[in-house]
Amino acid sequence: MVLVKEIYDKKEMFENKEILVKGWVRNNRAQKEFGFIDFHDGSFFNGVQVVYESELENFKDIQKIRVGSSISIKGILVLTPNAKQPFEIKASEVVLLGGSKEDYPIQPKRHTREFLREVAHLRSRTNLFQAVFRLRSVAAHAIHTFFQEKGFVYTHSPIITGNDGEGAGQMFNVTTLPLKDIPKDKDGKVYYEDDFFGKEAHLTVTGQLEGEAFAMAFRNIYTFGPTFRAENSNTQRHASEFWMIEPEMAFADINDNMDMAEEMVKYVIKYVFDKLPEEMDFFNKFVDTKLKDRLENVLSKKFERITHEEAVNILLKANKKWNVLPKQGEDLSTEHERYLTEEHFDCPVFVTDWPKDIKAFYMKLNSDGKTVAAMDLLVPGSGELIGGSQREEDEERLIERMNQMNVPVESLDWYVDLRRYGGCVHSGFGLGFERLIMYLTGVENIRDVIPFPRTPKNLEF
């Protein structure tokens, strides 16, 4: 049996030879004396045209094969350089392996993405989602390849945790307590001693804290796994379950952190360009006609670096009517991010030295006492892609920050230990994998880059 990808890679080797392929019918255009099957086997973005003629013993049965059916085909590969397709298979045998019923929802016509989300178990059979999820696979491999080639240790952080790494409180609870009769103590609080872990447990929002522990032993590590947020947000950029890439580096300051983030982003972009030219052409033609130019612009330019204060000053001086007025000490909105990257600099921008009051407890306090050594990477066409910081390595300052932000020191005593026992300057960042896939494909809704998305009120499949 031959894969379609092998035929595209070595078509001259198979020319005028009989081959066997197995896959699925995307379309079957039956005519009186012959017919054409659009055939895909999942190994390559493009399919193959199969020609079958009336001499075949089961010709009338082949004409009735429906879209979505799985089939086996024997035939001669014929090169067709003057046609739309580079080659076709002239079938000598077509065998139906698994039929498809008349109500098969993925017919050869344009379907809305909203409809396809309702049949997420079948949508990967369409061109768009074949391209998206193949790119997702390749981009994941690119991430691993990048860090492995640099000697980073891949670390599996826990999915069930007893701490809130972000201090945001938007976490899913994990419990074996009977929900219809939850045991409580005399003060009306949940009696967790009867629970599976004997304490309150959650699905993790980040692998960073555990990653820092491993960085203090292995120097450079990265996590790449699922994270969860119980945030009732229905935007195009938020999901309840998503994947995060989180490297942590010992003996690395905020500038080393930004260097690594820039190198990683450029590496992944180049990797998908090299490995998936057909998919990238498809995205550029049917999803976002400016996609390839935008990504190539990122590859060709050094990322700018400005402080949060400088960013706000640029925005205030801009001749723009803002929906949200930029202010010192406050977060940047999407319109601010896009102005900086698309109009003012025309390239990705690191914004550093953020106001401490809007950032997490573990970020290193700068000497001014007002800002932290944090960085956000903003990219054209998307906005924030990466968030990171130099971590606070001083035990006393870390505890002081935790107390100021009402982060329980006792339950994170092990995290403070990392400062007590051989602590050092260290940094890291987080990259939402789905945000990266959206950026690489031009697809605007996070629900369309996750195979089976989990969002508020949505737990299908």
Side-chain angles (χ1 to χ4, degrees):
M1 185 171 63
V2 177
L3 297 177
V4 169
K5 183 174 180 2
E6 293 175 317
I7 301 174
Y8 274 92
D9 288 343
K10 305 171 184 177
K11 58 181 179 290
E12 289 80 10
M13 186 176 84
F14 297 108
E15 183 182 4
N16 297 326
K17 293 182 179 177
E18 184 178 74
I19 58 174
L20 169 66
V21 293
K22 294 182 180 182
W24 296 272
V25 176
R26 288 279 187 91
N27 198 6
N28 184 2
R29 293 165 286 150
Q31 300 182 30
K32 189 174 181 181
E33 298 295 329
F34 55 88
F36 302 95
I37 292 174
D38 294 336
F39 174 89
H40 281 251
D41 73 351
S43 68
F44 194 63
F45 179 68
N46 295 326
V48 178
Q49 177 170 278
V50 176
V51 182
Y52 61 92
E53 298 180 343
S54 57
E55 302 94 69
L56 294 176
E57 184 179 335
N58 61 338
F59 176 72
K60 289 187 177 179
D61 293 329
I62 299 171
Q63 288 181 307
K64 297 174 185 176
I65 293 177
R66 296 191 185 102
V67 174
S69 300
S70 62
I71 58 174
S72 171
I73 296 170
K74 278 185 183 177
I76 302 296
L77 186 77
V78 179
L79 300 190
T80 55
N82 297 321
K84 268 187 178 181
Q85 66 281 353
F87 48 78
E88 62 186 19
I89 297 174
K90 186 174 181 181
S92 57
E93 178 184 277
V94 179
V95 177
L96 177 65
L97 301 177
S100 180
K101 297 194 174 183
E102 287 185 35
D103 60 354
Y104 177 62
I106 311 294
Q107 292 297 318
K109 64 179 183 178
R110 187 177 294 273
H111 298 283
T112 67
R113 295 183 199 175
E114 290 77 14
F115 167 74
L116 291 172
R117 285 178 211 139
E118 297 174 6
V119 289
H121 59 304
L122 300 172
R123 66 175 178 170
S124 55
R125 304 181 188 191
T126 65
N127 281 337
L128 174 63
F129 291 102
Q130 280 267 310
V132 166
F133 295 128
R134 192 181 304 281
L135 183 141
R136 185 180 172 111
S137 170
V138 168
H141 190 267
I143 294 290
H144 284 294
T145 303
F146 174 78
F147 285 117
Q148 290 291 329
E149 288 180 351
K150 289 188 169 295
F152 280 60
V153 172
Y154 179 31
T155 302
H156 295 129
S157 54
I159 291 176
I160 300 175
T161 180
N163 62 73
D164 181 355
E166 292 293 332
Q170 297 164 329
M171 306 181 75
F172 289 100
N173 292 322
V174 176
T175 183
T176 57
L177 294 175
L179 297 182
K180 292 182 179 179
D181 187 21
I182 297 175
K184 295 183 179 180
D185 61 21
K186 61 182 181 180
D187 297 322
K189 295 181 180 179
V190 176
Y191 191 71
Y192 283 108
E193 284 78 357
D194 288 346
D195 206 352
F196 186 88
F197 293 106
K199 62 184 293 187
E200 191 171 359
H202 312 278
L203 295 179
T204 186
V205 298
T206 176
Q208 177 199 316
L209 305 190
E210 294 85 358
E212 286 186 52
F214 267 59
M216 293 300 109
F218 291 98
R219 188 185 183 107
N220 292 335
I221 68 95
Y222 70 104
T223 72
F224 189 176
T227 53
F228 308 84
R229 298 284 170 88
E231 182 179 3
N232 190 17
S233 177
N234 289 283
T235 75
Q236 292 188 328
R237 293 169 61 84
H238 290 86
S240 303
E241 177 184 327
F242 54 97
W243 285 61
M244 286 282 287
I245 299 116
E246 297 178 292
E248 290 291 329
M249 298 164 284
F251 311 108
D253 64 15
I254 188 69
N255 291 306
D256 299 319
N257 204 22
M258 289 187 284
D259 290 342
M260 188 63 66
E262 179 173 348
E263 187 178 353
M264 185 203 69
V265 169
K266 289 181 175 179
Y267 181 94
V268 175
I269 292 173
K270 187 175 187 306
Y271 196 95
V272 297
F273 268 132
D274 291 344
K275 300 292 184 181
L276 299 174
E278 293 83 9
E279 284 83 351
M280 296 307 293
D281 286 343
F282 173 83
F283 293 132
N284 200 69
K285 184 175 181 181
F286 294 106
V287 179
D288 182 350
T289 56
K290 297 179 181 178
L291 176 68
K292 290 177 71 173
D293 286 343
R294 186 164 60 246
L295 293 176
E296 286 166 357
N297 183 47
V298 170
L299 286 176
S300 67
K301 291 187 176 179
K302 176 74 177 170
F303 295 3
E304 290 286 341
R305 299 182 183 186
I306 58 173
T307 66
H308 179 273
E309 182 179 7
E310 290 169 337
V312 173
N313 287 336
I314 290 170
L315 295 167
L316 290 172
K317 291 176 184 177
N319 185 24
K320 298 282 288 186
K321 186 175 181 180
W322 303 108
N323 294 316
V324 178
L325 187 67
K327 291 182 181 179
Q328 296 292 354
E330 296 188 6
D331 209 348
L332 303 179
S333 69
T334 301
E335 61 177 337
H336 302 152
E337 295 170 347
R338 298 195 68 161
Y339 174 80
L340 291 169
T341 57
E342 296 171 26
E343 297 185 50
H344 188 82
F345 289 110
D346 189 31
C347 70
V349 180
F350 284 108
V351 178
T352 66
D353 300 325
W354 286 74
K356 67 175 183 178
D357 294 334
I358 60 173
K359 288 297 183 179
F361 71 92
Y362 49 74
M363 297 185 177
K364 182 175 179 60
L365 190 66
N366 288 327
S367 58
D368 61 11
K370 298 177 181 178
T371 62
V372 288
M375 64 87 169
D376 280 5
L377 175 62
L378 314 179
V379 291
S382 181
E384 182 189 346
L385 186 64
I386 287 175
S389 72
Q390 185 172 325
R391 315 311 190 188
E392 182 57 77
E393 77 274 11
D394 184 272
E395 176 191 348
E396 290 184 4
R397 285 200 296 266
L398 176 62
I399 292 174
E400 183 180 352
R401 285 283 288 155
M402 293 172 78
N403 287 330
Q404 289 172 354
M405 303 182 74
N406 298 315
V407 176
V409 177
E410 186 177 342
S411 63
L412 284 173
D413 197 53
W414 66 269
Y415 181 68
V416 181
D417 271 354
L418 304 177
R419 280 76 183 162
R420 295 173 180 138
Y421 308 130
C424 64
V425 171
H426 62 290
S427 299
F429 60 82
L431 167 63
F433 188 48
E434 284 75 19
R435 293 274 181 97
L436 177 63
I437 303 305
M438 292 165 69
Y439 189 59
L440 294 172
T441 61
V443 172
E444 295 179 336
N445 197 314
I446 195 170
R447 295 166 181 83
D448 296 326
V449 297
I450 301 177
F452 300 99
R454 302 295 183 237
T455 54
K457 310 300 181 190
N458 179 30
L459 192 61
E460 301 301 320
F461 310 102

